[in-house]
Amino acid sequence: MKADSGLLEIYERLLTAYGPQKWWPAETPFEMMVGAVLTQNTSWTNVERAIAALRSRGLLDPAQIVGCDEASLAETIRPSGYFNQKAHRLKLLADFYLEQSSLAGLKRLPQPRHALLTLHGIGPETADSILLYALGMPVFVIDAYTRRIFTRLGLIPPDTTYHTLQALFEANLPAEVPLYREYHALIVMHAKAHCRSRPACDDCPLSGDCPVAHQAASLRSR
DNA sequence: GGCCAGGTGTAAA
DNA sequence: TTTACACATGGC
Protein backbone atom coordinates (compact mmCIF):
# COMPACT_ATOMS: atom_id res chain seq x y z
CA MET A 1 0.00 0.00 0.00
CA LYS A 2 1.50 3.24 -1.14
CA ALA A 3 -0.70 5.71 0.66
CA ASP A 4 0.45 6.94 4.06
CA SER A 5 -0.13 9.83 6.37
CA GLY A 6 -0.27 12.05 3.28
CA LEU A 7 -3.97 11.24 3.46
CA LEU A 8 -4.19 14.14 5.85
CA GLU A 9 -2.66 16.46 3.28
CA ILE A 10 -5.19 15.34 0.68
CA TYR A 11 -7.91 16.11 3.21
CA GLU A 12 -6.55 19.62 3.69
CA ARG A 13 -6.57 20.20 -0.05
CA LEU A 14 -10.15 19.03 -0.37
CA LEU A 15 -11.22 21.19 2.55
CA THR A 16 -9.53 24.24 1.04
CA ALA A 17 -11.08 23.55 -2.36
CA TYR A 18 -14.65 22.87 -1.28
CA GLY A 19 -15.03 24.16 2.28
CA PRO A 20 -16.73 22.33 5.17
CA GLN A 21 -19.63 20.13 4.03
CA LYS A 22 -21.17 19.69 7.48
CA TRP A 23 -22.60 16.22 6.90
CA TRP A 24 -24.87 14.31 7.35
CA PRO A 25 -27.83 16.32 5.99
CA ALA A 26 -30.57 15.23 8.42
CA GLU A 27 -32.58 16.79 11.24
CA THR A 28 -32.39 13.82 13.59
CA PRO A 29 -30.21 10.73 14.01
CA PHE A 30 -33.11 8.49 13.01
CA GLU A 31 -33.66 10.53 9.86
CA MET A 32 -29.97 10.08 9.16
CA MET A 33 -30.35 6.31 9.44
CA VAL A 34 -33.32 6.34 7.09
CA GLY A 35 -31.31 8.37 4.60
CA ALA A 36 -28.45 5.87 4.80
CA VAL A 37 -30.74 3.07 3.65
CA LEU A 38 -32.50 5.13 1.01
CA THR A 39 -29.26 6.30 -0.60
CA GLN A 40 -28.03 2.78 -1.28
CA ASN A 41 -26.93 2.86 -4.93
CA THR A 42 -29.17 5.87 -5.46
CA SER A 43 -28.61 9.56 -6.16
CA TRP A 44 -29.21 11.88 -3.23
CA THR A 45 -31.71 14.03 -5.13
CA ASN A 46 -34.00 11.02 -5.40
CA VAL A 47 -33.48 10.30 -1.70
CA GLU A 48 -34.48 13.86 -0.85
CA ARG A 49 -37.83 13.39 -2.59
CA ALA A 50 -38.45 10.20 -0.62
CA ILE A 51 -37.49 11.82 2.68
CA ALA A 52 -39.74 14.81 1.96
CA ALA A 53 -42.61 12.40 1.30
CA LEU A 54 -41.90 10.53 4.54
CA ARG A 55 -41.79 13.82 6.45
CA SER A 56 -45.08 15.04 5.03
CA ARG A 57 -46.73 11.81 6.20
CA GLY A 58 -45.14 11.90 9.64
CA LEU A 59 -43.11 8.78 8.88
CA LEU A 60 -39.67 9.99 9.93
CA ASP A 61 -40.28 8.23 13.19
CA PRO A 62 -39.47 4.63 14.09
CA ALA A 63 -42.81 3.86 15.73
CA GLN A 64 -44.71 5.25 12.75
CA ILE A 65 -42.64 3.18 10.34
CA VAL A 66 -43.14 0.02 12.36
CA GLY A 67 -46.88 0.71 12.54
CA CYS A 68 -47.50 1.57 8.93
CA ASP A 69 -48.39 -0.78 6.11
CA GLU A 70 -45.29 -1.90 4.20
CA ALA A 71 -46.92 -1.43 0.80
CA SER A 72 -47.86 2.18 1.54
CA LEU A 73 -44.40 2.80 2.97
CA ALA A 74 -42.94 1.50 -0.29
CA GLU A 75 -45.24 3.79 -2.26
CA THR A 76 -44.12 6.76 -0.16
CA ILE A 77 -40.44 6.16 -0.85
CA ARG A 78 -40.95 5.27 -4.52
CA PRO A 79 -38.72 8.12 -5.83
CA SER A 80 -35.68 6.63 -4.11
CA GLY A 81 -35.83 3.48 -6.24
CA TYR A 82 -35.73 -0.15 -5.04
CA PHE A 83 -38.73 0.93 -3.01
CA ASN A 84 -39.99 -2.54 -2.10
CA GLN A 85 -36.62 -3.67 -0.79
CA LYS A 86 -36.01 -0.41 1.00
CA ALA A 87 -39.45 -0.35 2.61
CA HIS A 88 -38.69 -3.73 4.12
CA ARG A 89 -35.24 -2.59 5.22
CA LEU A 90 -36.64 0.54 6.86
CA LYS A 91 -39.09 -1.55 8.83
CA LEU A 92 -36.32 -3.84 10.07
CA LEU A 93 -34.21 -0.82 10.99
CA ALA A 94 -37.05 0.96 12.79
CA ASP A 95 -37.91 -2.21 14.65
CA PHE A 96 -34.29 -2.61 15.71
CA TYR A 97 -34.13 1.04 16.76
CA LEU A 98 -37.13 0.64 19.05
CA GLU A 99 -35.78 -2.63 20.45
CA GLN A 100 -32.66 -0.80 21.57
CA SER A 101 -34.75 1.95 23.18
CA SER A 102 -33.51 4.46 20.62
CA LEU A 103 -30.09 5.94 20.11
CA ALA A 104 -28.80 5.64 23.65
CA GLY A 105 -29.43 1.91 23.71
CA LEU A 106 -27.80 1.48 20.35
CA LYS A 107 -24.67 3.24 21.58
CA ARG A 108 -24.57 1.05 24.65
CA LEU A 109 -24.41 -2.20 22.69
CA PRO A 110 -21.06 -4.00 23.04
CA GLN A 111 -20.80 -4.49 19.28
CA PRO A 112 -23.06 -1.94 17.57
CA ARG A 113 -21.47 -2.53 14.16
CA HIS A 114 -22.03 -6.25 14.35
CA ALA A 115 -25.60 -5.71 15.51
CA LEU A 116 -26.34 -3.44 12.56
CA LEU A 117 -24.77 -5.88 10.11
CA THR A 118 -27.08 -8.66 11.26
CA LEU A 119 -30.01 -6.64 9.89
CA HIS A 120 -31.01 -7.74 6.41
CA GLY A 121 -30.17 -4.89 4.04
CA ILE A 122 -27.60 -3.19 6.24
CA GLY A 123 -24.14 -3.78 4.77
CA PRO A 124 -20.73 -2.34 5.71
CA GLU A 125 -21.22 1.13 4.24
CA THR A 126 -24.69 1.67 5.64
CA ALA A 127 -23.62 0.36 9.05
CA ASP A 128 -20.50 2.51 9.16
CA SER A 129 -22.40 5.61 8.02
CA ILE A 130 -24.78 5.10 10.91
CA LEU A 131 -21.92 4.56 13.37
CA LEU A 132 -20.14 7.72 12.25
CA TYR A 133 -22.99 10.14 11.62
CA ALA A 134 -25.75 8.94 13.96
CA LEU A 135 -23.77 7.41 16.82
CA GLY A 136 -20.68 9.62 16.63
CA MET A 137 -18.18 6.77 16.55
CA PRO A 138 -14.80 7.21 14.81
CA VAL A 139 -15.37 4.77 11.93
CA PHE A 140 -14.25 5.72 8.43
CA VAL A 141 -16.93 5.23 5.78
CA ILE A 142 -15.87 3.73 2.46
CA ASP A 143 -18.05 4.14 -0.61
CA ALA A 144 -17.81 3.73 -4.37
CA TYR A 145 -16.46 7.29 -4.67
CA THR A 146 -13.67 6.63 -2.19
CA ARG A 147 -12.48 3.57 -4.07
CA ARG A 148 -12.81 5.26 -7.47
CA ILE A 149 -10.95 8.43 -6.52
CA PHE A 150 -8.07 6.75 -4.73
CA THR A 151 -7.77 4.13 -7.46
CA ARG A 152 -7.53 6.82 -10.11
CA LEU A 153 -4.97 8.65 -8.05
CA GLY A 154 -2.92 5.48 -8.26
CA LEU A 155 -2.82 5.01 -4.50
CA ILE A 156 -4.65 1.67 -4.29
CA PRO A 157 -5.46 -1.28 -6.57
CA PRO A 158 -9.04 -1.13 -7.92
CA ASP A 159 -10.01 -4.38 -6.17
CA THR A 160 -9.03 -3.22 -2.67
CA THR A 161 -11.59 -4.62 -0.25
CA TYR A 162 -13.83 -2.48 1.92
CA HIS A 163 -12.06 -3.55 5.09
CA THR A 164 -8.56 -3.00 3.73
CA LEU A 165 -9.38 0.46 2.45
CA GLN A 166 -11.07 1.37 5.70
CA ALA A 167 -8.07 0.11 7.68
CA LEU A 168 -5.80 2.22 5.48
CA PHE A 169 -7.67 5.41 6.35
CA GLU A 170 -8.06 4.58 10.01
CA ALA A 171 -4.39 3.67 10.42
CA ASN A 172 -3.19 6.91 8.86
CA LEU A 173 -5.59 9.45 10.32
CA PRO A 174 -6.23 10.55 13.89
CA ALA A 175 -9.42 8.83 15.10
CA GLU A 176 -11.50 12.00 15.26
CA VAL A 177 -15.20 11.96 14.47
CA PRO A 178 -15.36 15.48 12.95
CA LEU A 179 -12.40 14.65 10.68
CA TYR A 180 -13.90 11.34 9.52
CA ARG A 181 -17.26 12.97 8.88
CA GLU A 182 -15.83 15.84 6.91
CA TYR A 183 -13.36 13.73 4.95
CA HIS A 184 -16.02 11.35 3.68
CA ALA A 185 -18.30 14.25 2.79
CA LEU A 186 -15.49 15.97 0.90
CA ILE A 187 -14.71 12.79 -1.03
CA VAL A 188 -18.33 12.65 -2.19
CA MET A 189 -18.30 16.34 -3.04
CA HIS A 190 -15.08 15.99 -5.01
CA ALA A 191 -16.33 12.93 -6.87
CA LYS A 192 -19.53 14.66 -7.88
CA ALA A 193 -17.58 17.68 -9.06
CA HIS A 194 -14.83 15.84 -10.95
CA CYS A 195 -15.56 12.22 -11.75
CA ARG A 196 -19.21 11.44 -12.22
CA SER A 197 -18.70 9.11 -15.17
CA ARG A 198 -17.90 5.47 -14.55
CA PRO A 199 -14.85 4.32 -16.52
CA ALA A 200 -13.03 7.64 -16.68
CA CYS A 201 -13.41 11.33 -17.26
CA ASP A 202 -10.91 13.71 -18.79
CA ASP A 203 -11.07 16.48 -16.21
CA CYS A 204 -10.92 14.12 -13.23
CA PRO A 205 -8.47 13.89 -10.31
CA LEU A 206 -5.45 13.18 -12.47
CA SER A 207 -5.77 16.40 -14.40
CA GLY A 208 -3.49 19.31 -13.57
CA ASP A 209 -6.03 21.58 -11.95
CA CYS A 210 -7.42 18.93 -9.63
CA PRO A 211 -6.88 20.00 -6.02
CA VAL A 212 -5.60 16.59 -4.96
CA ALA A 213 -3.62 15.57 -8.03
CA HIS A 214 -0.41 17.24 -6.98
CA GLN A 215 -0.55 15.70 -3.54
CA ALA A 216 -1.28 12.26 -5.00
CA ALA A 217 1.72 12.51 -7.29
CA SER A 218 4.01 13.14 -4.34
CA LEU A 219 2.48 10.20 -2.48
CA ARG A 220 3.03 7.82 -5.36
CA SER A 221 6.68 8.75 -5.58
CA ARG A 222 7.48 7.87 -1.98
C1' DG B 1 -32.05 6.12 -25.51
C1' DG B 2 -28.35 4.64 -22.57
C1' DC B 3 -25.61 5.26 -18.61
C1' DC B 4 -25.31 6.28 -13.90
C1' DA B 5 -26.33 6.90 -8.86
C1' DG B 6 -23.17 8.10 -1.40
C1' DG B 7 -25.20 -0.92 -1.92
C1' DT B 8 -26.84 -5.35 -0.59
C1' DG B 9 -28.20 -10.17 -0.95
C1' DT B 10 -28.40 -14.30 -3.55
C1' DA B 11 -27.08 -17.80 -6.79
C1' DA B 12 -24.28 -19.87 -10.04
C1' DA B 13 -19.63 -20.90 -11.87
C1' DT C 1 -13.72 -17.45 -3.73
C1' DT C 2 -15.15 -14.85 -7.59
C1' DT C 3 -18.69 -13.15 -10.79
C1' DA C 4 -23.35 -12.08 -12.32
C1' DC C 5 -27.68 -10.49 -11.48
C1' DA C 6 -31.98 -8.38 -9.29
C1' DC C 7 -33.64 -4.53 -7.21
C1' DA C 8 -36.06 0.76 -9.73
C1' DT C 9 -36.41 5.78 -9.94
C1' DG C 10 -34.97 10.18 -12.07
C1' DG C 11 -31.15 13.28 -14.09
C1' DC C 12 -28.28 14.14 -17.85
Side-chain angles (χ1 to χ4, degrees), chain A residues 23 25 39-40 49 71 82 89 104 111 117 135 156 165 168 173 176 200 207 214 216 219:
Chain A
W23 267 22
T39 199
Q40 289 171 354
R49 299 167 195 271
Y82 308 127
R89 292 173 182 185
Q111 309 275 0
L117 288 175
L135 301 188
I156 57 166
L165 192 44
L168 175 69
L173 294 171
E176 297 165 3
S207 72
H214 178 262
L219 280 177

Side-chain angles (χ1 to χ4, degrees), chain A residues 6-133:
Chain A
L7 287 178
L8 203 50
E9 298 167 45
I10 289 180
Y11 168 75
E12 295 294 345
R13 282 174 175 269
L14 290 171
L15 186 61
T16 300
Y18 301 110
Q21 303 300 303
K22 296 168 181 163
W23 267 22
W24 184 288
E27 293 183 10
T28 66
F30 183 73
E31 180 182 328
M32 182 274 141
M33 296 166 73
V34 169
V37 169
L38 294 181
T39 199
Q40 289 171 354
N41 203 40
T42 301
S43 63
W44 185 253
T45 55
N46 281 10
V47 175
E48 285 180 319
R49 299 167 195 271
I51 288 181
L54 288 169
R55 196 188 311 282
S56 73
R57 290 166 173 72
L59 287 173
L60 283 176
D61 174 271
Q64 293 301 313
I65 287 183
V66 167
C68 94
D69 175 59
E70 188 167 317
S72 70
L73 179 61
E75 199 52 42
T76 303
I77 62 170
R78 174 181 280 274
S80 74
Y82 308 127
F83 46 86
N84 290 313
Q85 277 190 344
K86 287 174 179 175
H88 187 63
R89 292 173 182 185
L90 288 184
K91 277 192 157 285
L92 292 174
L93 183 64
D95 194 55
F96 172 75
Y97 188 91
L98 292 180
E99 271 179 23
Q100 306 306 321
S101 306
S102 79
L103 211 62
L106 231 168
K107 284 185 188 173
R108 236 178 282 121
L109 287 172
Q111 309 275 0
R113 187 176 197 270
H114 177 76
L116 286 166
L117 288 175
T118 61
L119 297 179
H120 197 279
I122 305 292
E125 180 182 340
T126 308
D128 288 341
S129 295
I130 291 171
L131 294 176
L132 179 61
Y133 291 104

Side-chain angles (χ1 to χ4, degrees), chain A residues 142-161:
Chain A
I142 303 300
D143 59 15
Y145 289 152
T146 314
R147 182 172 287 98
R148 191 184 309 168
I149 289 176
F150 284 82
T151 297
R152 290 185 185 173
L153 291 174
L155 298 174
I156 57 166
D159 58 349
T160 306
T161 65

Side-chain angles (χ1 to χ4, degrees), chain A residues 13 18 149 152-153 190 193-195 201-217 220:
Chain A
R13 282 174 175 269
Y18 301 110
I149 289 176
R152 290 185 185 173
L153 291 174
H190 177 65
H194 283 268
C195 43
C201 68
D202 296 333
D203 61 344
C204 236
L206 292 176
S207 72
D209 62 347
C210 170
V212 307
H214 178 262
Q215 182 57 35
R220 282 196 303 274

